[in-house]
Amino acid sequence: MIDFHTAQGGTVGIADEPIATLRGALRGALLLPGDDGYDVSRTLWNGMIDRRPAAIVRAAGAADVIQAVKFAQEHQLLMAVKGGGHNIAGKAACDGGLMIDLSAMKSVRVDPVARLARVEPGALLSDFDRETQAFGLSTPTGINSTTGIAGLTLGGGFGWQSRKRGLTIDNLTGVDVVLASGEFVQASETHNADLFWAVRGGSGNFGVVTSFEYRLHPLGPEVLAGLIVYPLDQAKQVFEGYRRFTADAGDEMTAWMVLRKAPPLPFLPADVHGKEVLVIAFCWIGELGRGEQLASPLRSWGTPAGEHVGPMPFAAWQTAFDPLLQPGARNYWKSHDFKALNAEVERIVCSATAGLPSDECEIFIGQLGGQINRVKAGDTAYPHRDAEFAVNVHTRWREAGGDRECIDWARALFDALAPHATGGVYVNFMSEDETQRVASGAYGANYARLAALKARFDPGNLFSQNQNIRPQA
């Protein structure tokens, strides 16, 4: 007998026989506490999350997902779904429930003639990049190679290519989905179009996606990219230059800004390590020679402390931030969307940077716009087609004793920035305690349609372990 938590908040005991039947139906594994692989499966990127499911289905394919969803539905179990496990809110694991771990489903199949890629939900961006770049192809994804493709896509997905080619979901052509009923369906613009609309930004609310199909574009394999580091005391002229540069930049150029303490990067002098800095991270995905000319202003806004810039394989650039984002640290995020970065935003973030609560905390400013904003807000569940920047307050530290200081710092900065923001937020940047922002902040005018579709596809809210959209007829 195994005791499970139910979706309604109670408990139910399930006898050994149904558990054995489920185990026998799987091509993958059913893991219980104490089994080899159980702790690996339940562990997530954010070290603040430490949940212990009653059982884990480590799925080997769509058939295993169907069996697991049917089992959870039959017994009304609390259920969580893990792809890459990178999501900040840590919703991929649940205490006492059934966890579906998709991380073994990592296949990436590229059709270089049709320029399409079929990708399973356990694949990381590194898996995707290796396969697609072998053919000089890619599609817009994120900026950290350890991110899971599934969670990134279901929330929207943006990175270095998005100003030219849109969000990840704008390049999604179809999905395979296991619904709450256990039914396996396919969705695209022409088939189950309502479901396809909902999964493009609706997070994991509508089912378990067991396969994604993406449209691919020529890229690289080399791009012009790099980091230019300025001391924080040059922030005024750097911000002024950044505002001018991003206003005029073409779609093939993306420049992000990061404020933090300088890590011990080899191209920085030792006396800069640990000092507050402002980092310009950029990527140009056009013709290399022209990019070198267009990128030159980035180093002219003051006196850089150091830089690492040049042509490099795109797949290598995607790993540039991996050393700063290794799993296991404690992480808490707060985020806003902006239409512009005014002088008051500059003052607020620079003041906060002067008082960072840990050496690993940072504020990053991601440049959006371009092709992202040429899609109508109602064309996908992701609605933020007017945002030009996303500002993410990323607190990161090692010991539980630092929780209060780091979280309070993030919340205070978030509150100070709020009057200058749009009120919108990218759902993948929302922490666990932000359920009140789901309707108005994450989805806005699209929420009513999402809630109605939730009532159609998941009326019992089986898929609740996410930034939850509640079913509403």
Side-chain angles (χ1 to χ4, degrees), residues 304-323:
E307 67 172 69
H308 177 69
V309 173
M312 63 186 75
F314 178 73
W317 174 238
Q318 285 284 81
T319 70
F321 299 101
D322 289 3

Side-chain angles (χ1 to χ4, degrees), residues 133 219-224 284-286 288 311-314:
Q133 282 290 277
L219 179 72
E222 282 199 330
V223 297
L224 181 70
W284 164 263
I285 63 171
L288 290 178
M312 63 186 75
F314 178 73

Side-chain angles (χ1 to χ4, degrees), residues 403-417:
D403 288 5
R404 180 49 50 208
E405 181 184 10
C406 289
I407 292 172
D408 285 351
W409 177 84
R411 289 173 175 169
L413 177 51
F414 171 84
D415 290 344
L417 289 170

Side-chain angles (χ1 to χ4, degrees), residues 326-365:
Q326 291 296 309
R330 304 175 75 80
N331 292 266
Y332 181 83
W333 293 1
K334 297 287 280 187
S335 184
H336 284 297
D337 285 347
F338 291 81
K339 291 185 179 179
L341 302 174
N342 60 35
E344 187 62 11
V345 170
E346 172 194 336
R347 185 195 65 78
I348 291 167
V349 297
C350 289
S351 176
T353 304
L356 293 166
S358 85
D359 288 349
E360 295 183 83
C361 291
E362 64 185 19
I363 305 161
F364 80 69
I365 301 171

